[in-house]
Amino acid sequence: MNWLDLAAYFFGGAFLTNAIPHVVAGAMGEPFQSPFAKPRGEGLSTSTVNILWGFVNLLIGYLLIGRVGDFGLRNTGDVAAAGLGGLLIGLFLARHFGRFHGGNEPPRS
């Protein structure tokens, strides 16, 4: 098992996970934070920008997972590396964007 391949799968999982909110928000016609907003990563970008950014993330994730090494869905190490990348970026994004959308401290009833 090549550690460089595992690193590529880790980052591939992160890019694939990051694509989800951008594609979903864009497809719903909703503005959402992106690296192209002002201030960067905090302001809102248009739904069109989010669709484009989401598909760029999908492409990068595909290239890192599908074209580096020999990724195997039945290889636990490969899947764990991609899953860990997705989990960690997901947790980071949940905390980061939770500041703007109330997800860090939901209202109490």
Side-chain angles (χ1 to χ4, degrees):
M1 204 178 289
N2 184 345
W3 72 271
L4 288 175
D5 291 350
L6 293 177
Y9 303 154
F10 175 88
F11 287 106
F15 276 99
L16 291 176
T17 299
N18 190 48
I20 295 168
H22 294 287
V23 170
V24 170
M28 292 175 50
E30 300 280 336
F32 190 70
Q33 287 85 7
S34 84
F36 309 105
K38 294 198 181 358
R40 184 180 165 142
E42 295 182 10
L44 297 175
S45 291
T46 66
S47 56
T48 302
V49 166
N50 275 289
I51 284 286
L52 294 171
W53 181 238
F55 273 85
V56 166
N57 277 265
L58 286 172
L59 174 64
I60 294 169
Y62 162 74
L63 292 173
L64 289 170
I65 289 178
R67 307 295 285 174
V68 172
D70 189 24
F71 184 86
L73 282 175
R74 294 185 178 198
N75 184 321
T76 304
D78 293 351
V79 173
L84 184 61
L87 174 65
L88 292 180
I89 196 71
L91 290 172
F92 169 76
L93 294 172
R95 297 298 301 164
H96 177 73
F97 293 122
R99 296 183 305 153
F100 306 110
H101 301 282
N104 291 344
E105 295 185 25
R108 299 186 178 148
S109 46

XYZ file of all heavy atoms in Angstrom:
818
model
N 0.847 -1.176 0.000
C 0.000 0.000 0.000
C 0.892 1.238 0.000
O 1.664 1.456 0.913
C -0.897 -0.029 1.240
C -2.149 0.772 1.085
S -3.229 0.689 2.519
C -3.833 -0.974 2.415
N 0.780 2.045 -1.021
C 1.587 3.249 -1.166
C 0.953 4.386 -0.363
O -0.226 4.708 -0.558
C 1.668 3.596 -2.657
C 2.555 4.770 -2.954
O 2.920 5.535 -2.064
N 2.895 4.922 -4.209
N 1.725 5.018 0.506
C 1.165 6.085 1.337
C 0.780 7.306 0.510
O -0.135 8.048 0.881
C 2.116 6.450 2.476
C 3.341 7.206 2.055
C 4.532 6.699 1.670
C 3.461 8.628 1.971
N 5.402 7.706 1.349
C 4.762 8.914 1.523
C 2.601 9.690 2.229
C 5.218 10.210 1.325
C 3.062 10.987 2.031
C 4.359 11.226 1.586
N 1.430 7.540 -0.627
C 1.036 8.665 -1.485
C -0.337 8.426 -2.098
O -1.132 9.362 -2.244
C 2.079 8.897 -2.579
C 3.394 9.503 -2.107
C 4.395 9.560 -3.254
C 3.176 10.883 -1.522
N -0.628 7.169 -2.453
C -1.961 6.839 -2.943
C -3.000 7.095 -1.859
O -4.063 7.676 -2.118
C -2.043 5.381 -3.388
C -1.245 5.098 -4.652
O -0.776 6.064 -5.302
O -1.089 3.913 -4.984
N -2.697 6.677 -0.623
C -3.632 6.893 0.479
C -3.851 8.377 0.744
O -4.971 8.798 1.046
C -3.136 6.187 1.742
C -3.125 4.661 1.685
C -2.536 4.097 2.975
C -4.513 4.117 1.437
N -2.797 9.178 0.614
C -2.946 10.623 0.781
C -3.854 11.190 -0.311
O -4.711 12.048 -0.043
C -1.587 11.312 0.752
N -3.695 10.708 -1.546
C -4.564 11.155 -2.638
C -6.010 10.771 -2.361
O -6.929 11.564 -2.589
C -4.099 10.559 -3.966
N -6.254 9.565 -1.847
C -7.611 9.122 -1.538
C -8.210 9.944 -0.399
O -9.398 10.278 -0.419
C -7.631 7.639 -1.178
C -7.068 6.745 -2.257
C -6.526 5.514 -1.940
C -7.041 7.133 -3.597
C -5.993 4.686 -2.910
C -6.506 6.317 -4.573
C -5.982 5.097 -4.231
O -5.449 4.279 -5.198
N -7.374 10.281 0.591
C -7.821 11.125 1.704
C -8.329 12.465 1.166
O -9.440 12.901 1.476
C -6.662 11.334 2.686
C -6.966 12.269 3.811
C -7.532 11.796 4.980
C -6.683 13.628 3.716
C -7.814 12.650 6.032
C -6.956 14.492 4.758
C -7.530 13.999 5.918
N -7.512 13.121 0.346
C -7.915 14.420 -0.187
C -9.038 14.283 -1.209
O -9.891 15.165 -1.324
C -6.711 15.162 -0.765
C -5.803 15.685 0.310
C -4.585 15.075 0.565
C -6.170 16.760 1.106
C -3.750 15.534 1.572
C -5.355 17.228 2.123
C -4.138 16.605 2.353
N -9.064 13.169 -1.930
C -10.179 12.919 -2.839
C -11.493 12.831 -2.094
O -12.504 13.390 -2.525
N -11.483 12.134 -0.955
C -12.685 12.061 -0.129
C -13.107 13.426 0.388
O -14.299 13.745 0.454
N -12.126 14.249 0.738
C -12.424 15.600 1.209
C -13.066 16.435 0.093
O -14.059 17.132 0.318
C -11.155 16.273 1.720
N -12.520 16.359 -1.116
C -13.090 17.122 -2.227
C -14.491 16.633 -2.580
O -15.379 17.439 -2.870
C -12.178 17.060 -3.462
C -11.078 18.077 -3.439
C -9.808 17.722 -3.032
C -11.313 19.393 -3.801
C -8.781 18.657 -3.009
C -10.300 20.337 -3.781
C -9.034 19.970 -3.380
N -14.697 15.316 -2.568
C -16.031 14.793 -2.882
C -17.055 15.241 -1.843
O -18.183 15.605 -2.186
C -15.995 13.272 -2.989
C -15.243 12.711 -4.194
C -15.193 11.187 -4.122
C -15.884 13.168 -5.504
N -16.667 15.223 -0.575
C -17.571 15.676 0.480
C -17.854 17.165 0.360
O -18.990 17.611 0.547
C -16.977 15.348 1.865
O -16.818 13.929 1.959
C -17.865 15.837 2.991
N -16.833 17.952 0.035
C -17.024 19.390 -0.114
C -17.935 19.729 -1.295
O -18.583 20.770 -1.300
C -15.675 20.092 -0.271
C -15.804 21.594 -0.194
O -16.440 22.127 0.707
N -15.218 22.286 -1.154
N -17.997 18.861 -2.280
C -18.852 19.118 -3.442
C -20.335 19.095 -3.070
O -21.138 19.822 -3.668
C -18.581 18.082 -4.533
N -20.692 18.286 -2.094
C -22.105 18.057 -1.776
C -22.859 19.355 -1.460
O -23.876 19.645 -2.101
C -22.253 17.022 -0.643
C -21.736 15.663 -1.112
C -23.702 16.921 -0.168
C -21.567 14.640 0.009
N -22.438 20.168 -0.464
C -23.248 21.350 -0.151
C -23.300 22.360 -1.300
O -24.318 23.032 -1.491
C -22.573 21.946 1.085
C -21.188 21.399 1.079
C -21.272 20.064 0.418
N -22.220 22.451 -2.069
C -22.209 23.413 -3.170
C -23.175 23.001 -4.277
O -23.938 23.823 -4.788
C -20.793 23.576 -3.723
C -19.863 24.195 -2.736
N -19.911 25.535 -2.398
C -18.874 23.658 -1.986
C -18.990 25.794 -1.492
N -18.348 24.660 -1.226
N -23.159 21.725 -4.652
C -24.060 21.247 -5.700
C -25.509 21.311 -5.226
O -26.387 21.754 -5.962
C -23.677 19.815 -6.150
C -24.738 19.222 -7.063
C -22.324 19.827 -6.854
N -25.761 20.908 -3.995
C -27.134 20.919 -3.480
C -27.671 22.354 -3.402
O -28.775 22.637 -3.867
C -27.217 20.214 -2.113
C -28.565 20.440 -1.454
C -26.947 18.726 -2.280
N -26.886 23.261 -2.819
C -27.337 24.657 -2.717
C -27.551 25.243 -4.107
O -28.560 25.921 -4.361
C -26.333 25.492 -1.928
N -26.614 24.995 -5.000
C -26.747 25.523 -6.358
C -27.958 24.972 -7.073
O -28.698 25.699 -7.742
N -28.196 23.667 -6.945
C -29.347 23.052 -7.610
C -30.667 23.546 -7.036
O -31.681 23.583 -7.738
C -29.263 21.533 -7.494
N -30.649 23.955 -5.775
C -31.856 24.500 -5.148
C -32.025 25.986 -5.449
O -33.016 26.588 -5.039
C -31.804 24.280 -3.636
C -31.915 22.826 -3.244
S -31.708 22.533 -1.472
C -32.812 23.712 -0.749
N -31.049 26.573 -6.123
C -31.124 27.998 -6.430
C -30.803 28.877 -5.247
O -31.156 30.053 -5.224
N -30.124 28.322 -4.272
C -29.798 29.052 -3.045
C -28.378 29.605 -3.098
O -27.473 28.937 -3.589
C -29.892 28.109 -1.836
C -31.246 27.491 -1.620
C -32.202 28.438 -0.944
O -31.737 29.359 -0.244
O -33.410 28.255 -1.133
N -28.151 30.793 -2.552
C -26.778 31.267 -2.405
C -26.101 30.495 -1.274
O -26.763 29.997 -0.369
C -26.942 32.743 -2.039
C -28.282 32.829 -1.398
C -29.124 31.759 -2.053
N -24.797 30.376 -1.364
C -24.041 29.651 -0.332
C -22.614 30.165 -0.341
O -22.139 30.691 -1.338
C -24.079 28.138 -0.634
C -23.546 27.285 0.480
C -24.237 27.141 1.663
C -22.338 26.620 0.335
C -23.743 26.346 2.698
C -21.831 25.827 1.345
C -22.539 25.693 2.529
N -21.918 29.988 0.773
C -20.533 30.431 0.882
C -19.661 29.665 -0.101
O -19.893 28.492 -0.356
C -19.993 30.204 2.296
C -20.518 31.130 3.329
C -21.842 30.685 3.909
O -22.334 29.618 3.643
N -22.434 31.543 4.708
N -18.676 30.369 -0.641
C -17.678 29.719 -1.494
C -16.380 30.511 -1.384
O -16.371 31.624 -0.857
C -18.151 29.664 -2.955
O -17.863 30.861 -3.623
N -15.304 29.956 -1.911
C -14.036 30.691 -1.867
C -14.054 31.951 -2.721
O -13.147 32.765 -2.621
C -13.017 29.690 -2.428
C -13.667 28.374 -2.398
C -15.133 28.605 -2.420
N -15.061 32.120 -3.562
C -15.105 33.258 -4.470
C -15.951 34.413 -3.937
O -16.058 35.446 -4.572
C -15.647 32.808 -5.835
C -14.908 31.613 -6.352
C -15.488 30.358 -6.318
C -13.615 31.742 -6.822
C -14.797 29.246 -6.766
C -12.913 30.634 -7.269
C -13.505 29.385 -7.243
N -16.549 34.231 -2.765
C -17.384 35.267 -2.166
C -16.502 36.289 -1.448
O -15.326 36.060 -1.212
C -18.363 34.647 -1.185
N -17.096 37.404 -1.114
C -16.393 38.422 -0.341
C -17.178 38.661 0.935
O -18.345 38.968 0.857
C -16.270 39.704 -1.143
C -15.378 39.508 -2.355
C -14.906 40.813 -2.896
C -14.051 40.758 -4.092
N -13.620 39.617 -4.727
N -16.609 38.507 2.109
C -15.266 37.998 2.351
C -15.186 36.513 2.012
O -16.153 35.764 2.127
C -15.027 38.239 3.831
C -16.360 38.391 4.443
C -17.284 38.860 3.365
N -13.998 36.114 1.613
C -13.741 34.758 1.129
C -14.176 33.698 2.148
O -13.776 33.748 3.299
C -12.254 34.623 0.826
C -11.870 33.318 0.241
C -10.388 33.281 -0.020
N -10.016 31.902 -0.239
C -9.133 31.518 -1.119
N -8.490 32.400 -1.827
N -8.870 30.254 -1.268
N -15.007 32.761 1.694
C -15.454 31.681 2.556
C -16.517 32.062 3.559
O -16.997 31.225 4.303
N -16.899 33.326 3.589
C -17.920 33.771 4.535
C -19.110 34.405 3.829
O -20.240 34.203 4.223
C -17.329 34.756 5.542
C -16.296 34.123 6.438
C -15.737 35.083 7.464
O -16.286 36.199 7.613
O -14.752 34.723 8.114
N -18.838 35.196 2.787
C -19.913 35.810 2.033
C -20.619 34.769 1.170
O -20.168 33.636 1.028
N -21.731 35.170 0.592
C -22.517 34.247 -0.227
C -22.167 34.391 -1.703
O -21.959 35.484 -2.198
C -24.008 34.513 -0.026
C -24.533 34.289 1.390
C -25.992 34.690 1.484
C -24.333 32.849 1.811
N -22.126 33.263 -2.387
C -21.944 33.226 -3.838
C -23.260 32.797 -4.466
O -24.098 32.159 -3.827
C -20.856 32.227 -4.235
O -19.602 32.676 -3.825
N -23.424 33.109 -5.727
C -24.653 32.747 -6.435
C -24.777 31.235 -6.572
O -23.808 30.488 -6.434
C -24.675 33.373 -7.840
O -23.631 32.771 -8.619
C -24.509 34.881 -7.786
N -25.984 30.812 -6.886
C -26.213 29.385 -7.091
C -25.410 28.868 -8.282
O -24.912 27.735 -8.256
C -27.701 29.109 -7.281
O -28.228 29.870 -8.339
N -25.241 29.684 -9.303
C -24.453 29.276 -10.472
C -22.993 29.047 -10.096
O -22.385 28.042 -10.493
C -24.554 30.336 -11.588
O -25.934 30.509 -11.921
C -23.769 29.934 -12.808
N -22.424 29.954 -9.332
C -21.033 29.799 -8.881
C -20.902 28.524 -8.052
O -19.932 27.779 -8.192
C -20.572 31.034 -8.076
C -19.276 30.761 -7.328
C -20.421 32.233 -8.990
N -21.898 28.248 -7.214
C -21.826 27.055 -6.374
C -21.934 25.772 -7.182
O -21.248 24.794 -6.879
C -22.880 27.112 -5.270
C -22.366 27.879 -4.081
O -21.503 27.402 -3.367
N -22.859 29.093 -3.901
N -22.757 25.751 -8.212
C -22.809 24.568 -9.081
C -21.447 24.355 -9.732
O -20.911 23.239 -9.733
C -23.902 24.714 -10.159
C -25.288 24.483 -9.557
C -23.667 23.753 -11.319
C -25.601 23.036 -9.232
N -20.870 25.421 -10.277
C -19.564 25.298 -10.927
C -18.492 24.847 -9.939
O -17.701 23.948 -10.234
C -19.173 26.621 -11.586
C -20.051 27.057 -12.763
C -19.701 28.474 -13.190
C -19.920 26.077 -13.919
N -18.460 25.449 -8.758
C -17.463 25.086 -7.753
C -17.685 23.648 -7.279
O -16.733 22.893 -7.067
C -17.503 26.063 -6.591
C -16.488 25.774 -5.539
C -16.719 25.528 -4.222
C -15.065 25.688 -5.700
N -15.534 25.302 -3.563
C -14.504 25.394 -4.447
C -14.212 25.834 -6.789
C -13.143 25.228 -4.251
C -12.851 25.676 -6.593
C -12.339 25.380 -5.336
N -18.929 23.250 -7.119
C -19.223 21.882 -6.718
C -18.724 20.873 -7.746
O -18.144 19.844 -7.398
N -18.916 21.174 -9.036
C -18.462 20.251 -10.067
C -16.939 20.245 -10.214
O -16.358 19.216 -10.554
C -19.180 20.508 -11.392
C -20.480 19.745 -11.468
C -21.639 20.263 -10.920
C -20.527 18.491 -12.044
C -22.822 19.555 -10.958
C -21.702 17.768 -12.091
C -22.860 18.298 -11.545
N -16.297 21.364 -9.921
C -14.826 21.364 -9.881
C -14.354 20.441 -8.760
O -13.415 19.656 -8.935
C -14.271 22.799 -9.703
C -12.797 22.785 -9.322
C -14.494 23.615 -10.963
N -15.012 20.499 -7.602
C -14.673 19.604 -6.493
C -14.911 18.148 -6.866
O -14.105 17.276 -6.524
C -15.488 19.965 -5.243
C -14.873 21.089 -4.461
O -14.129 20.862 -3.522
N -15.177 22.311 -4.849
N -16.007 17.865 -7.565
C -16.265 16.493 -8.022
C -15.166 16.006 -8.959
O -14.710 14.863 -8.853
C -17.621 16.404 -8.725
C -18.856 16.453 -7.836
C -20.117 16.556 -8.684
C -18.915 15.245 -6.930
N -14.756 16.867 -9.877
C -13.705 16.497 -10.821
C -12.388 16.206 -10.100
O -11.744 15.188 -10.359
C -13.505 17.600 -11.863
C -12.333 17.396 -12.830
C -12.575 16.169 -13.695
C -12.131 18.626 -13.679
N -12.008 17.082 -9.177
C -10.760 16.878 -8.433
C -10.846 15.601 -7.601
O -9.902 14.808 -7.557
C -10.430 18.104 -7.559
C -10.128 19.316 -8.447
C -9.252 17.804 -6.632
C -10.044 20.622 -7.689
N -11.985 15.387 -6.942
C -12.165 14.160 -6.165
C -12.062 12.922 -7.036
O -11.418 11.932 -6.664
N -12.675 12.965 -8.210
C -12.576 11.844 -9.151
C -11.128 11.598 -9.565
O -10.664 10.459 -9.575
C -13.436 12.093 -10.385
C -13.039 11.213 -11.536
C -13.351 9.854 -11.544
C -12.315 11.722 -12.610
C -12.957 9.042 -12.596
C -11.920 10.912 -13.659
C -12.244 9.568 -13.642
O -11.843 8.762 -14.671
N -10.429 12.663 -9.911
C -9.041 12.505 -10.346
C -8.174 11.905 -9.248
O -7.321 11.054 -9.510
C -8.471 13.846 -10.817
C -9.083 14.415 -12.098
C -8.551 15.821 -12.359
C -8.821 13.503 -13.284
N -8.386 12.338 -8.012
C -7.573 11.843 -6.900
C -7.907 10.398 -6.524
O -7.030 9.637 -6.135
C -7.724 12.753 -5.679
C -7.064 14.121 -5.811
C -7.479 15.020 -4.647
C -5.559 13.993 -5.877
N -9.172 10.020 -6.635
C -9.566 8.667 -6.246
C -9.550 7.707 -7.437
O -9.080 6.581 -7.332
C -10.948 8.676 -5.567
C -10.821 9.329 -4.187
C -11.512 7.267 -5.447
C -12.113 9.446 -3.424
N -10.053 8.163 -8.563
C -10.208 7.267 -9.694
C -9.003 7.133 -10.601
O -8.902 6.174 -11.365
N -8.089 8.091 -10.531
C -6.968 8.071 -11.470
C -5.605 7.934 -10.809
O -4.597 7.843 -11.494
C -6.989 9.342 -12.316
C -8.300 9.628 -13.018
C -8.649 8.616 -14.043
N -7.808 8.841 -15.210
C -7.781 8.052 -16.245
N -8.536 6.997 -16.291
N -6.999 8.311 -17.258
N -5.558 7.946 -9.479
C -4.285 7.774 -8.764
C -4.252 6.358 -8.213
O -5.195 5.913 -7.559
C -4.146 8.792 -7.609
C -2.931 8.484 -6.761
C -4.072 10.216 -8.151
N -3.188 5.663 -8.464
C -3.045 4.312 -7.937
C -4.121 3.382 -8.473
O -4.601 3.530 -9.594
N -4.508 2.434 -7.641
C -5.505 1.439 -8.011
C -6.530 1.345 -6.888
O -6.555 0.378 -6.127
C -4.819 0.087 -8.259
C -5.759 -0.938 -8.854
O -6.749 -0.527 -9.487
O -5.504 -2.139 -8.665
N -7.378 2.384 -6.762
C -8.375 2.443 -5.692
C -9.306 1.238 -5.796
O -9.816 0.923 -6.862
C -9.191 3.737 -5.791
C -10.180 3.915 -4.666
C -9.782 4.503 -3.485
C -11.488 3.494 -4.796
C -10.680 4.669 -2.448
C -12.390 3.658 -3.759
C -11.982 4.245 -2.582
N -9.517 0.584 -4.670
C -10.410 -0.564 -4.640
C -11.489 -0.390 -3.587
O -11.188 -0.157 -2.426
N -12.752 -0.497 -4.001
C -13.849 -0.386 -3.042
C -13.819 -1.505 -2.012
O -14.379 -1.369 -0.932
C -15.196 -0.388 -3.761
C -15.593 0.914 -4.428
C -16.891 0.749 -5.208
C -15.735 2.028 -3.410
N -13.160 -2.605 -2.324
C -13.047 -3.718 -1.384
C -11.752 -3.666 -0.582
O -11.503 -4.541 0.240
C -13.148 -5.036 -2.123
C -14.516 -5.221 -2.721
C -14.666 -6.564 -3.353
N -16.022 -6.675 -3.864
C -16.594 -7.801 -4.158
N -15.938 -8.929 -4.011
N -17.813 -7.821 -4.622
N -10.954 -2.637 -0.818
C -9.717 -2.457 -0.065
C -10.012 -1.523 1.103
O -10.236 -0.325 0.921
C -8.626 -1.876 -0.971
C -7.295 -1.765 -0.258
O -7.233 -1.411 0.913
N -6.234 -2.042 -0.982
N -10.005 -2.080 2.297
C -10.380 -1.311 3.487
C -9.503 -0.084 3.676
O -10.000 0.986 4.050
C -10.314 -2.208 4.735
O -11.150 -3.341 4.536
C -10.770 -1.461 5.978
N -8.219 -0.185 3.417
C -7.322 0.962 3.580
C -7.673 2.100 2.637
O -7.677 3.269 3.042
N -7.980 1.763 1.385
C -8.343 2.793 0.406
C -9.631 3.508 0.819
O -9.714 4.739 0.826
C -8.533 2.177 -0.980
C -7.248 1.632 -1.579
O -6.166 1.867 -1.009
O -7.343 0.976 -2.631
N -10.637 2.713 1.166
C -11.936 3.286 1.543
C -11.821 4.067 2.847
O -12.417 5.142 2.985
C -13.009 2.181 1.635
C -14.312 2.728 2.186
C -13.224 1.546 0.267
N -11.035 3.562 3.790
C -10.860 4.265 5.067
C -10.173 5.616 4.855
O -10.548 6.609 5.485
C -10.050 3.409 6.038
N -9.179 5.660 3.976
C -8.495 6.929 3.706
C -9.463 7.945 3.105
O -9.513 9.098 3.546
C -7.309 6.704 2.772
N -10.242 7.541 2.112
C -11.210 8.456 1.491
C -12.288 8.853 2.494
O -12.674 10.023 2.575
C -11.838 7.809 0.259
N -12.766 7.871 3.268
C -13.795 8.164 4.263
C -13.311 9.092 5.351
O -14.039 9.990 5.787
N -12.076 8.910 5.793
C -11.519 9.785 6.828
C -11.376 11.213 6.303
O -11.680 12.177 7.013
C -10.173 9.249 7.308
C -9.512 10.013 8.448
C -10.396 9.999 9.690
C -8.145 9.413 8.762
N -10.923 11.353 5.060
C -10.839 12.687 4.462
C -12.200 13.356 4.407
O -12.355 14.534 4.733
N -13.223 12.592 4.003
C -14.580 13.132 3.946
C -15.117 13.488 5.317
O -15.742 14.529 5.506
N -14.865 12.612 6.297
C -15.343 12.871 7.655
C -14.702 14.119 8.246
O -15.392 14.980 8.801
C -15.049 11.665 8.551
C -15.362 11.844 10.043
C -16.854 12.037 10.268
C -14.839 10.669 10.843
N -13.393 14.236 8.124
C -12.705 15.379 8.729
C -13.095 16.698 8.084
O -13.330 17.690 8.778
C -11.188 15.165 8.696
C -10.679 14.049 9.600
C -9.168 13.911 9.494
C -11.093 14.272 11.046
N -13.179 16.734 6.744
C -13.597 17.989 6.109
C -15.060 18.285 6.443
O -15.441 19.438 6.632
C -13.340 17.993 4.585
C -13.421 19.425 4.020
C -14.346 17.145 3.849
C -12.301 20.318 4.397
N -15.877 17.230 6.555
C -17.275 17.421 6.932
C -17.423 18.035 8.314
O -18.219 18.953 8.520
N -16.641 17.534 9.275
C -16.688 18.102 10.625
C -16.205 19.546 10.634
O -16.800 20.408 11.298
C -15.843 17.252 11.582
C -16.402 15.869 11.906
C -15.377 15.051 12.690
C -17.712 15.987 12.669
N -15.132 19.810 9.900
C -14.631 21.184 9.822
C -15.679 22.103 9.209
O -15.950 23.192 9.732
C -13.342 21.241 9.004
C -12.936 22.648 8.660
C -12.356 23.461 9.606
C -13.183 23.162 7.394
C -12.004 24.777 9.297
C -12.841 24.463 7.072
C -12.249 25.277 8.033
N -16.275 21.678 8.100
C -17.267 22.517 7.417
C -18.516 22.717 8.276
O -19.109 23.798 8.270
C -17.633 21.912 6.066
C -16.510 21.884 5.031
C -16.940 21.091 3.808
C -16.076 23.283 4.650
N -18.917 21.687 9.018
C -20.077 21.818 9.897
C -19.838 22.900 10.943
O -20.727 23.718 11.219
C -20.378 20.481 10.574
N -18.651 22.919 11.526
C -18.341 23.948 12.526
C -18.214 25.327 11.879
O -18.715 26.313 12.396
C -17.045 23.603 13.265
C -17.098 22.328 14.073
C -18.112 22.354 15.190
N -17.834 23.433 16.119
C -18.702 23.892 17.008
N -19.886 23.354 17.108
N -18.395 24.880 17.798
N -17.522 25.378 10.729
C -17.293 26.662 10.063
C -18.610 27.280 9.595
O -18.909 28.427 9.923
C -16.339 26.479 8.885
C -16.109 27.734 8.099
N -15.340 28.767 8.590
C -16.563 28.130 6.889
C -15.325 29.759 7.701
N -16.056 29.386 6.659
N -19.398 26.537 8.840
C -20.635 27.096 8.298
C -21.753 27.127 9.328
O -22.727 27.853 9.167
C -21.061 26.343 7.042
C -20.116 26.550 5.905
C -19.488 25.477 5.309
C -19.825 27.824 5.442
C -18.594 25.662 4.262
C -18.933 28.019 4.404
C -18.323 26.938 3.818
N -21.619 26.355 10.407
C -22.596 26.415 11.485
C -22.658 27.790 12.122
O -23.696 28.191 12.652
N -21.562 28.539 12.042
C -21.557 29.920 12.574
C -22.547 30.797 11.831
O -23.134 31.702 12.401
C -20.165 30.557 12.423
C -19.080 29.892 13.201
C -17.753 30.625 13.052
N -17.397 30.765 11.646
C -16.644 31.745 11.163
N -16.180 32.687 11.949
N -16.339 31.779 9.880
N -22.722 30.537 10.537
C -23.564 31.393 9.706
C -25.000 30.905 9.616
O -25.890 31.687 9.323
C -22.990 31.465 8.283
C -21.559 31.879 8.245
C -20.573 30.979 7.898
C -21.182 33.170 8.587
C -19.246 31.352 7.866
C -19.853 33.552 8.569
C -18.883 32.637 8.209
N -25.233 29.630 9.852
C -26.553 29.052 9.645
C -27.196 28.532 10.922
O -28.205 27.845 10.866
C -26.466 27.919 8.602
C -25.936 28.390 7.290
N -26.699 29.074 6.371
C -24.695 28.302 6.749
C -25.967 29.366 5.319
N -24.739 28.918 5.516
N -26.590 28.821 12.069
C -27.173 28.428 13.347
C -26.970 26.971 13.713
O -27.579 26.491 14.656
N -26.134 26.253 12.998
C -25.949 24.832 13.265
C -25.092 24.518 14.476
O -25.146 23.413 14.995
N -24.310 25.480 14.940
C -23.460 25.215 16.096
C -24.218 25.304 17.410
O -23.863 24.672 18.384
C -22.269 26.182 16.120
C -21.290 25.916 14.997
O -21.330 24.864 14.382
N -20.445 26.868 14.730
N -25.264 26.126 17.417
C -26.092 26.259 18.620
C -27.547 26.348 18.198
O -28.106 27.437 18.072
C -25.686 27.501 19.406
C -24.278 27.411 19.958
C -23.939 28.585 20.833
O -24.851 29.221 21.398
O -22.748 28.896 20.946
N -28.184 25.176 17.967
C -29.584 25.207 17.543
C -30.482 25.793 18.633
O -30.139 25.722 19.819
C -29.915 23.744 17.267
C -28.876 22.953 17.964
C -27.679 23.833 18.124
N -31.603 26.379 18.233
C -32.506 26.968 19.230
C -33.052 25.905 20.170
O -33.288 24.766 19.783
C -33.616 27.585 18.382
C -33.516 26.960 17.046
C -32.119 26.478 16.886
N -33.222 26.303 21.401
C -33.767 25.389 22.415
C -35.255 25.633 22.559
O -35.715 26.755 22.574
C -33.061 25.609 23.744
C -31.601 25.314 23.584
C -30.880 25.360 24.861
N -29.485 25.012 24.519
C -28.463 25.467 25.129
N -28.596 26.296 26.112
N -27.264 25.128 24.756
N -35.986 24.546 22.696
C -37.435 24.705 22.847
C -37.891 24.406 24.248
O -37.239 23.945 25.076
C -38.165 23.801 21.864
O -37.630 22.513 21.841
